[in-house]
């Protein structure tokens, strides 16, 4: 990340209604006016619309509709999450890249891309990640808790996505374990991966995919997946959303680091759509029907079947196929 370019972006953003003079930029950043002018050219090249006026300086008219790091970083208020962003125009999978560089970068580093060529979903599925319209990113973490707490990372990721959308007046549901649903269609998913010894985590990668501004979906997905834009009818500011998620994620992550997982689980349970509803579970191809009665401290979904027998399911080999209100037919 180039610090001077970032500072220029910040100063232009902080003065939306006035020109910032080349001299002021040059004094503040300790570089020549020619250097400033070259950075301005570079920013224009990246898609920034910057007006320049002789004797007055520069004014930002419009930022590019891209998730470039400068746009995120100039107003980021976290301590660690997203402070170091590795951005790619396109990449196979941000989770794969994160695993490649984990251990060599600080905790909280984010791999972010405009397009994934081989986006990965849960249970070996592919994750559709077209260019320019979604948020596809992975957060690298080095938590110092025991590996059995790691599933909570996925829980807090789901909470932070749900909360950030709620702040933008978009009310979503969390479908167990961690799909984000809007109007019965999936708009975001989370894939966490872990590298650990029996009693210590080497690194964790939390991959988050959000369908933001897509106008359409391929035939095979359009009945189950949708985007925020399709469902709300509005173009969503991806940079704002990402900033909110980083902020929220960090807050929940700190709770987890300070052993507040029971509190986190309570918040999560309150947001889970399927609790106290009738559900159909597919566990390794075997179908179970019953009522979802609880979520255990480990995040397992507990269902009671027609005979009153309880079954617990963990996400690895299980999917929640359907749920409905008591009395409705599945
Ligand atoms: C799911 O199946 O619900 C999980 C989808 C996770 C997709 C995200 S997109 C960013 C990150 N990189 C990947 O390859 N996958 C995750």
């Amino acid at each position: 990340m180039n610090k001077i370019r970032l500072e220029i972006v910040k100063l232009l953003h902080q003065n939306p209604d006035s020109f910032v003079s080349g001299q002021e930029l040059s004094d503040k950043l300790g570089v020549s006016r020619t250097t400033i002018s070259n950075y301005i050219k570079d920013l224009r090249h990246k898609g920034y619309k910057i007006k320049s006026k002789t004797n007055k300086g520069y004014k930002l008219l419009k930022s590019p509709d891209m998730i470039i790091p400068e746009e995120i970083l100039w107003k980021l208020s976290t301590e660690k999450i997203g402070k170091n962003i590795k951005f790619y125009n396109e990449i196979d999978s941000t989770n794969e890249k994160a695993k490649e560089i984990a251990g060599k970068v600080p905790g909280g580093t984010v791999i972010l891309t405009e397009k994934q060529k081989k986006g990965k979903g849960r249970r070996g599925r592919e994750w559709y990640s077209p260019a320019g319209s979604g948020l596809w990113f992975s957060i690298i973490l080095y938590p110092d808790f025991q590996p059995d707490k790691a599933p909570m990372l996925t829980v807090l990721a789901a909470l932070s996505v749900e909360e950030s959308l709620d702040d933008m007046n978009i009310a979503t549901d969390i479908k167990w374990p961690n799909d984000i649903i809007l109007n019965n269609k999936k708009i975001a998913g989370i894939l966490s991966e872990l590298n650990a010894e029996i009693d210590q985590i080497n690194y964790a990668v939390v991959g988050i995919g959000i369908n933001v501004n897509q106008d359409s979906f391929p035939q095979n997905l359009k009945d189950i997946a949708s985007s925020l834009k399709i469902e709300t009818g509005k173009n969503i500011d991806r940079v704002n959303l990402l900033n909110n998620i980083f902020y929220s994620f960090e807050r929940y992550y700190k709770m987890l680091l300070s052993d507040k997982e029971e509190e986190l689980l309570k918040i999560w349970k309150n947001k889970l759509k399927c609790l106290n509803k009738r559900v159909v579970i597919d566990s390794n191809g075997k179908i179970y029907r019953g009522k979802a009665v609880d979520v255990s401290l480990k995040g397992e979904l507990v269902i009671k079947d027609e005979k009153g027998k309880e079954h617990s399911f963990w996400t690895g080999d299980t999917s929640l196929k359907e749920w409905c209100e008591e009395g409705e037919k599945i």
Side-chain angles (χ1 to χ4, degrees):
M1 167 60 48
N2 185 296
K3 288 225 169 77
I4 295 173
R5 197 168 54 210
L6 175 58
E7 282 305 308
I8 296 177
V9 169
K10 190 170 176 177
L11 286 164
L12 290 178
H13 268 294
Q14 285 170 340
N15 293 282
D17 304 318
S18 52
F19 282 86
V20 185
S21 77
Q23 192 59 52
E24 185 185 336
L25 288 170
S26 135
D27 290 345
K28 277 202 171 132
L29 304 177
V31 292
S32 71
R33 290 182 61 168
T34 316
T35 307
I36 297 290
S37 143
N38 285 337
Y39 275 113
I40 296 283
K41 262 188 223 149
D42 181 36
L43 286 171
R44 284 187 178 131
H45 190 68
K46 281 175 177 269
Y48 283 85
K49 298 261 175 302
I50 299 170
K51 190 170 177 179
S52 50
K53 222 171 181 182
T54 326
N55 296 330
K56 286 204 147 186
Y58 305 101
K59 186 171 158 183
L60 179 61
L61 301 180
K62 201 173 178 296
S63 299
D65 183 20
M66 280 184 73
I67 40 170
I68 48 178
E70 284 85 351
E71 273 304 289
I72 298 153
L73 289 171
W74 79 266
K75 57 179 170 185
L76 188 67
S77 57
T78 55
E79 277 170 34
K80 290 195 175 142
I81 304 296
K83 280 284 176 197
N84 182 29
I85 297 180
K86 303 230 169 273
F87 174 77
Y88 300 84
N89 277 323
E90 62 171 45
I91 197 173
D92 280 351
S93 150
T94 56
N95 267 34
E96 286 307 310
K97 181 49 109 185
K99 289 193 285 180
E100 216 176 285
I101 63 167
K104 300 175 203 135
V105 289
T109 294
V110 168
I111 314 297
L112 176 67
T113 188
E114 283 285 2
K115 174 185 172 179
Q116 291 186 121
K117 290 180 282 178
K118 289 186 190 157
K120 299 194 315 177
R122 281 177 54 228
R123 307 171 89 209
R125 293 196 196 101
E126 204 183 296
W127 182 261
Y128 174 62
S129 327
S133 55
L135 283 174
W136 329 121
F137 62 101
S138 302
I139 306 173
I140 301 173
L141 301 164
Y142 310 111
D144 61 359
F145 47 67
Q146 292 293 306
D148 64 349
K149 242 165 110 166
M152 288 304 294
L153 292 171
T154 312
V155 167
L156 71 89
L159 283 177
S160 52
V161 173
E162 189 270 351
E163 179 177 84
S164 304
L165 289 170
D166 198 49
D167 285 348
M168 297 169 98
N169 290 322
I170 305 175
T172 54
D173 294 316
I174 303 180
K175 178 187 162 191
W176 182 89
N178 287 302
D179 291 350
I180 309 291
I181 305 288
L182 183 54
N183 300 336
N184 287 321
K185 292 195 174 167
K186 180 157 167 172
I187 49 109
I190 297 152
L191 177 67
S192 299
E193 300 190 65
L194 196 67
N195 181 303
E197 315 290 319
I198 199 125
D199 59 351
Q200 118 180 8
I201 296 175
N202 298 326
Y203 65 80
V205 165
V206 181
I208 303 179
I210 309 176
N211 301 324
V212 186
N213 287 329
Q214 287 101 318
D215 289 308
S216 61
F217 279 79
Q219 195 64 27
N220 62 329
L221 291 178
K222 68 179 199 208
D223 290 339
I224 49 170
S226 190
S227 72
L228 295 170
K229 183 176 178 188
I230 295 173
E231 298 306 315
T232 64
K234 288 186 213 131
N235 214 61
I236 306 292
D237 184 331
R238 288 182 297 159
V239 169
N240 256 351
L241 177 56
L242 195 58
N243 260 295
N244 289 348
I245 292 172
F246 289 166
Y247 184 77
S248 183
F249 188 98
E250 185 162 277
R251 199 163 45 81
Y252 285 126
Y253 183 54
K254 280 185 182 165
M255 277 174 74
L256 185 58
L257 291 177
S258 47
D259 297 325
K260 293 199 179 128
E261 57 267 32
E262 287 195 26
E263 211 175 303
L264 272 173
L265 268 175
K266 209 165 140 197
I267 306 175
W268 183 56
K269 264 166 84 165
N270 274 333
K271 305 210 164 175
L272 274 185
K273 198 65 183 154
C274 66
L275 271 190
N276 300 317
K277 306 233 162 93
R278 288 175 53 227
V279 294
V280 179
I281 297 279
D282 176 344
S283 182
N284 266 335
K286 195 166 171 200
I287 301 292
Y288 294 81
R289 286 167 199 274
K291 184 173 173 184
V293 287
D294 201 5
V295 176
S296 74
L297 273 179
K298 288 193 215 140
E300 295 151 327
L301 184 66
V302 184
I303 74 160
K304 205 178 236 182
D305 68 19
E306 290 95 66
K307 292 182 185 144
K309 193 173 171 210
E310 288 195 353
H311 306 261
S312 298
F313 298 95
W314 181 237
T315 153
D317 47 10
T318 301
S319 72
L320 173 60
K321 308 278 299 168
E322 293 175 69
W323 73 80
C324 72
E325 300 295 342
E326 194 74 65
E328 284 176 9
K329 214 173 161 164
I330 296 186

